[in-house]
Amino acid sequence: MKSLTKAEEQIMQILWELNEGVVKDVVERFDEPRPAYTTVATVLKVLEKKGFVGSKKVGNVNLFVPEISKKEYTGFQFTSLLKNYFDGSFPKMATFFAKQNNLSIDELEEIMKITEEEIKKEKEEKPWKRY
């Protein structure tokens, strides 16, 4: 999977929120000043070529649908960040963010609690998956 450009990511964020949409739907979700319709259409076509979105003709317009989930892309980006900036070490990354954000012990414990709950929930949803 490739990383998205800033423009591509903005459009994907909107498309993930919408679940599907035509160019007009995406343009309307931008704050003013909105990008041109043709710009959004071009970026959506690039995203389609990259495999991030699919499209189908509905009447005389293309309906775009994400082919990659936000969770999949987040995982890819997170893994890239971890590998490229923290030598693949989650503890190094966690320490960096804890220092940068001046997190308290209580906040760190809350992060651990949430992480444990998420792992437990995922194991219950997918008991066949090994961790």
Side-chain angles (χ1 to χ4, degrees), residues 33-45:
R34 291 185 172 116
Y37 181 97
T38 53
T39 301
V40 172
T42 300
V43 173
L44 281 165
K45 286 294 183 189

Side-chain angles (χ1 to χ4, degrees), residues 12 25 30 56 64 91-92 116 123-124 131:
M12 284 304 298
D25 297 332
F30 276 92
K56 59 182 173 183
F64 293 93
K92 282 183 184 178
E116 288 170 355
K123 282 182 180 179
E124 289 170 358
Y131 290 90

Side-chain angles (χ1 to χ4, degrees), residues 42-77:
T42 300
V43 173
L44 281 165
K45 286 294 183 189
V46 169
L47 286 166
E48 187 172 22
K49 284 181 184 173
K50 287 184 170 182
F52 281 88
V53 300
S55 70
K56 59 182 173 183
K57 200 78 160 157
V58 178
N60 62 347
V61 296
N62 285 320
L63 180 67
F64 293 93
V65 179
E67 293 289 329
I68 303 293
S69 72
K70 185 174 184 176
K71 185 175 181 177
E72 286 174 284
Y73 188 70
T74 300
F76 166 76
Q77 285 293 83

